[in-house]
Amino acid sequence: MARIPNTVGGGANTNFNGLRFEGRTDLLDAINLHLDYSIQNDNEVVKNGNIVAHYYEKYSLYKEYLTPNGVDYRTILSKRLLPDGALLVGNTMYIIEKKYQAGSGSVDEKLQTCDFKKKQYTKLFRPLNINVEYFYVLNDWFDNPRNNDVFEYIESVGCKYFIEDLPLEELGL
């Protein structure tokens, strides 16, 4: 039987499709394009000459923020969480997970983990008195009534989702 090429993501194309989507939804690029904000030192969000937020991705959240502030995740969580993006604004850490899908698959089910992950992040940041907001940025494949029950669940557990675009005002900026 001939192999059918994967055109919807997942499997061997997970990184290719996901990175392309994530490249279109880069938060620092979006902030830098905004007239009121700029980025300095790779992760500082600046407005009117003042640092208003700090941005972290994956391991940098630990290396550049948690560990220097005395938080050892191993004493709090069983596994390290690696966010696609984490933006600290005031005393709130906005966790941003980007999900790309172009056909039915496992990403659908991953959306249902937001409650657990938000609770885990809340435990992780509790020693620093940092509040947590958990957001999904989804590609337009998800913008379909077949996902309404999942979207209702996401909102019912205090998380949020956005299709293709995350408005900066949602991030306290």
Side-chain angles (χ1 to χ4, degrees):
M1 176 182 246
R3 184 178 183 284
I4 299 171
N6 180 347
T7 60
V8 296
N13 285 332
T14 296
N15 286 342
F16 174 75
N17 289 321
L19 291 175
R20 186 170 62 192
F21 169 68
E22 289 179 11
R24 289 196 331 261
T25 59
D26 185 79
L27 183 59
L28 285 183
D29 286 347
I31 291 171
N32 217 20
L33 290 173
H34 195 281
L35 294 176
D36 293 336
Y37 299 97
S38 63
I39 306 300
Q40 70 182 22
N41 299 324
D42 295 327
N43 81 325
E44 297 172 338
V45 180
V46 177
K47 181 177 182 181
N48 298 326
N50 298 310
I51 299 171
V52 296
H54 288 86
Y55 182 75
Y56 309 95
E57 289 181 354
K58 308 279 185 198
Y59 295 99
S60 74
L61 177 62
Y62 298 85
K63 182 179 177 185
E64 298 173 20
Y65 184 70
L66 289 168
T67 300
N69 283 292
V71 176
D72 180 356
Y73 79 92
R74 295 169 293 195
T75 65
I76 301 169
L77 305 177
S78 59
K79 294 188 182 222
R80 182 173 11 207
L81 301 168
L82 300 174
D84 291 330
L87 187 72
L88 180 62
V89 181
N91 71 334
T92 301
M93 185 68 77
Y94 295 89
I95 303 296
I96 301 145
E97 294 294 340
K98 303 171 192 175
K99 300 296 180 197
Y100 174 90
Q101 190 83 8
S104 62
S106 64
V107 171
D108 277 342
E109 294 176 7
K110 290 177 184 175
L111 296 179
Q112 300 165 29
T113 66
C114 62
D115 184 41
F116 174 75
K117 288 184 178 175
K118 182 176 181 181
K119 287 176 180 173
Q120 291 294 89
Y121 279 112
T122 298
K123 282 182 1 185
L124 184 61
F125 289 105
R126 188 172 292 128
L128 301 173
N129 293 314
I130 299 292
N131 299 315
V132 172
E133 295 292 334
Y134 193 90
F135 294 168
Y136 284 121
V137 179
L138 310 170
N139 73 311
D140 59 6
W141 182 87
F142 290 96
D143 194 11
N144 188 300
R146 72 178 169 265
N147 293 314
N148 284 349
D149 57 344
V150 175
F151 292 154
E152 288 172 12
Y153 172 74
I154 289 169
E155 291 176 343
S156 77
V157 296
C159 301
K160 292 185 179 183
Y161 70 93
F162 302 91
I163 306 294
E164 293 284 343
D165 184 49
L166 176 55
L168 294 181
E169 57 270 11
E170 290 287 338
L171 298 168
L173 294 174

